[in-house]
Amino acid sequence: MSKAKLHLVIGGRVQNPQSLDFCDLEDMDFVGVYPNYDEAEEAWRSAAQRTVDDAEMKYVVVHLHKLLEPDTDLSQPQ
């Protein structure tokens, strides 16, 4: 059984759509934590699609496994 590589999906209003400078951290949308990138990407797409007409809303996938274990081999699949 392979080890889960945790991913967090979050979103919120940004000042500039080309940045990750979120305006109000208290109003962030925490979509969820997922055991692999494929599930996280599916959740990200779903959340982003709901706000597609709002250019100031942005959703991202955070690779928690890279933050928790930064010394692991980065050449391995996500």
Side-chain angles (χ1 to χ4, degrees):
M1 183 159 124
S2 66
K3 187 174 178 183
K5 293 189 176 180
L6 298 177
H7 295 79
L8 169 67
V9 179
I10 59 172
R13 190 160 302 284
V14 291
Q15 293 179 5
N16 177 350
Q18 295 180 339
S19 77
L20 291 175
D21 188 14
F22 290 99
C23 296
D24 185 2
L25 297 181
E26 292 182 13
D27 196 30
M28 295 288 292
D29 181 12
F30 291 89
V31 178
V33 176
Y34 300 89
N36 58 60
Y37 183 79
D38 290 339
E39 289 184 39
E41 182 182 28
E42 184 177 327
W44 167 80
R45 285 188 190 284
S46 177
Q49 187 63 37
R50 287 193 306 269
T51 60
V52 71
D53 293 330
D54 186 349
E56 293 179 344
M57 286 297 289
K58 184 173 221 171
Y59 284 85
V60 295
V61 176
V62 179
H63 299 266
L64 291 179
H65 63 96
K66 291 181 181 181
L67 296 173
L68 296 171
E69 296 180 17
D71 295 333
T72 57
D73 183 5
L74 297 178
S75 65
Q76 293 183 4
Q78 299 174 3

